[in-house]
Amino acid sequence: MDRRALIGLAALGSALAAAEAAEASGKSEGGGAPTHPFISLPTATATVLRRDGRRGVMTVEVGVDVADMTLRARADQSKPRLSAAYNEVVRLAGERLLPGAPPDVEWLSRALQAATDRVLGRAGARLLLGTVMVV
């Protein structure tokens, strides 16, 4: 069998499998309502002072879980505002951080949740924290 034909069949098979998986999960390419309540946002970063006096970076992975579909639509539209608010909170946390000390994740989660509620205009979205890391 010709290798080019085999590669074409493999690509066709993977495309059919992806279309079947999308159909099974209820998603369509027509841009219908999203079915998953989780919204992933870009990593928030801030500059911090390290123990040796050099500059470091604090990174915080964030996401939002929104069960209410009207609030989810608002959160989708507010992604840039949410990202900016999260970067501001992480910047403040980086300023508060003493050199060589671990970040205060409790304060960070409360402040990020308050920023989420403020940007969306009401409570109902739950902030999800991923990795909080200082390098």
Side-chain angles (χ1 to χ4, degrees), residues 21-91:
E23 184 178 327
S25 68
K27 291 184 179 179
S28 64
E29 292 182 22
T35 58
H36 200 284
F38 176 72
I39 298 172
S40 179
L41 293 163
T43 302
T45 60
T47 302
V48 297
L49 193 59
R50 292 178 25 188
R51 180 178 295 178
D52 59 1
R54 296 186 309 179
R55 300 250 177 228
V57 177
M58 179 170 150
T59 62
V60 180
E61 294 177 348
V62 291
V64 180
D65 186 28
V66 187
D68 182 20
M69 282 301 153
T70 57
L71 190 59
R72 171 131 175 38
R74 183 174 177 91
D76 272 333
Q77 295 169 350
S78 300
K79 278 183 181 180
R81 292 182 63 214
L82 284 169
S83 182
Y86 293 161
N87 278 319
E88 181 66 20
V89 169
V90 172
R91 184 189 64 80

